[in-house]
Amino acid sequence: MLNFDEDRFLKIQGGAVALRQRLDAVIGQCLSAGAENIFFLGTGGAAILMQPALQLLQRSSRFPAYIDLPAELVLTGSAHLTEKSIVVMPSLSGTTKESVALLARLKEIGATVITLVGHENTPLGQGGDHVFVNFAEDDTSCESFYLQSLFIALSILHHRNEIRNYDEIVTELDRLPALLLEVKRAYEPKAENFARKLAASDYHIITGAGNVWPQAFYYGMCILEEMQWIRTRPVHASDFFHGTLELIDKDVSLVLFKGEDDLRPLAERIENFAPTYTEKLLVLDTAALDLPGISKPVRALISPILLATVLERISAHLEVMRNHPLTTRRYYKRVAY
């Protein structure tokens, strides 16, 4: 595979899976101690990656779950954010400015803070009540953060007796690192062609629904915009027919992500509409990816992980054909802002 270290990938995703039991124990302790809600409070891309876990809890549990922006909470607070709150703060660097600022506020409030970081010797790596460290880099962090947040959501469902097949689900998830590697290998021959089509346009509308919508938002903002300087318009599939459809013509690129949860029909609606009006429809469908031994319910849960793992292959080809390394920045962590 192009510019890819298989052993490093397995180590990082295996590291995320290895955190599951301790995450489950910490969540169990928090609930036993009377926790009343959970907040996912990341910044930027890391925050977006928490959204599938939030969706799972909001649709499957009566335990209140929230997502908010640290930059806003520092200024406004929240009536729901109390000493009875569990706060999950993801940050690959462990130094994200807005999240570090909120951490001090959380200490004053008395909330229980769980930090998910890639580096321990950092403000967030040292500042959480429960710190979970799994080294990763930009090309491997999506799957890692998706897995860790999914384990947290499943643990809440498990301890509240809101899920029947917890043990079966996590047993399947334990096998995921090796399976994801095989997904990458199988998709590699297709990745260059998909990347070539992305490179052919300097503007993309990118859309999806359900638990893959966050990956559409993330890929548009954090990869195509931040790492490739390609303009995008991420729009949720539910909103596509309420404005954005008017931008579609034969020369407008539309990128559609399809997952396998109950919201798949929203993506299919766009897929049925678009070919009549644009010659540049790109569809990435997790159902086309082979994942032996993984049940349909678990496939539905991990659709954003599957997208992330093949999009990494697409990005690897995109940076080469555009001669624009994914690490190149003009402003991000380069100038004062």
Side-chain angles (χ1 to χ4, degrees):
M1 287 185 279
L2 177 67
N3 296 337
F4 184 72
D5 186 330
E6 295 186 5
D7 291 336
R8 180 175 67 108
F9 177 79
L10 287 174
K11 182 177 180 181
I12 290 168
Q13 307 316 326
V17 167
L19 296 175
R20 174 178 60 80
Q21 291 183 334
R22 185 171 155 238
L23 283 166
D24 183 54
V26 168
I27 292 297
Q29 292 169 16
C30 292
L31 295 176
S32 296
E36 294 180 350
N37 59 42
I38 185 168
F39 277 77
F40 293 92
L41 299 179
T43 299
I48 297 170
L49 299 175
M50 299 293 105
Q51 290 184 20
L54 174 82
Q55 288 181 16
L56 177 60
L57 286 173
Q58 289 184 335
R59 291 170 179 163
S60 303
S61 176
R62 290 188 174 274
F63 191 71
Y66 305 96
I67 202 164
D68 213 323
L69 301 171
E72 292 195 356
L73 283 179
V74 166
L75 299 175
T76 65
S78 169
H80 300 288
L81 184 56
T82 73
E83 72 280 0
K84 295 292 188 180
S85 298
I86 305 168
V87 173
V88 178
M89 300 190 78
S91 171
L92 183 59
S93 69
T95 63
T96 310
K97 181 178 179 180
E98 295 88 344
S99 297
V100 172
L102 181 61
L103 183 62
R105 182 77 174 269
L106 294 173
K107 295 293 185 181
E108 296 174 1
I109 292 171
T112 299
V113 179
I114 297 172
T115 57
L116 312 177
V117 298
H119 304 275
E120 185 173 9
N121 295 320
T122 59
L124 293 175
Q126 299 290 331
D129 297 300
H130 305 279
V131 177
F132 292 83
V133 183
N134 187 46
F135 171 79
E137 292 177 306
D138 285 339
D139 62 335
T140 52
S141 63
C142 279
E143 298 96 329
S144 175
F145 277 139
Y146 275 139
L147 280 167
Q148 292 175 66
S149 58
L150 176 57
F151 290 142
I152 289 170
L154 289 171
S155 180
I156 290 174
L157 294 171
H158 171 54
H159 287 285
R160 288 174 51 83
N161 295 314
E162 292 174 321
I163 191 170
R164 295 180 180 179
N165 56 338
Y166 173 81
D167 290 336
E168 290 86 349
I169 291 172
V170 296
T171 297
E172 290 187 35
L173 293 176
D174 285 347
R175 301 177 50 226
L176 205 53
L179 290 172
L180 290 176
L181 180 57
E182 292 305 316
V183 168
K184 284 180 181 290
R185 285 177 178 154
Y187 192 78
E188 181 72 8
K190 303 175 184 178
E192 182 177 2
N193 184 54
F194 198 106
R196 194 171 305 283
K197 292 178 180 179
L198 284 179
S201 298
D202 60 5
Y203 167 74
H204 303 276
I205 295 172
I206 184 167
T207 187
N211 64 5
V212 303
W213 155 243
Q215 186 60 29
F217 184 19
Y218 178 93
Y219 195 72
M221 184 177 81
C222 297
I223 309 300
L224 295 183
E225 290 184 344
E226 178 186 323
M227 299 184 183
Q228 287 293 291
W229 305 348
I230 296 173
R231 291 173 175 84
T232 71
R233 166 68 163 100
V235 58
H236 195 288
S238 295
D239 294 326
F240 179 84
F241 291 99
H242 298 274
T244 304
L245 82 167
E246 288 296 331
L247 296 177
I248 298 296
D249 64 33
K250 66 183 180 65
D251 296 318
V252 171
S253 171
L254 175 62
V255 183
L256 173 63
F257 292 166
K258 295 177 67 178
E260 299 173 63
D261 65 6
D262 291 340
L263 282 301
R264 184 178 173 89
L266 296 178
E268 291 174 335
R269 184 185 180 197
I270 293 175
E271 187 176 26
N272 292 333
F273 165 84
T276 304
Y277 303 101
T278 179
E279 297 173 359
K280 294 185 176 181
L281 173 64
L282 285 173
V283 179
L284 195 53
D285 185 356
T286 65
L289 304 173
D290 190 29
L291 212 60
I294 301 299
S295 63
K296 287 185 178 180
V298 172
R299 287 188 65 109
L301 287 175
I302 64 172
S303 291
I305 302 176
L306 294 174
L307 282 177
T309 217
V310 297
L311 284 165
E312 180 276 326
R313 291 289 76 218
I314 292 167
S315 299
H317 287 273
L318 187 63
E319 68 171 343
V320 171
M321 65 181 58
R322 298 187 74 245
N323 192 28
H324 187 125
L326 294 167
T327 54
T328 299
R329 304 288 188 279
R330 283 183 289 206
Y331 312 117
Y332 183 65
K333 296 186 177 180
R334 296 262 195 289
V335 301
Y337 52 83

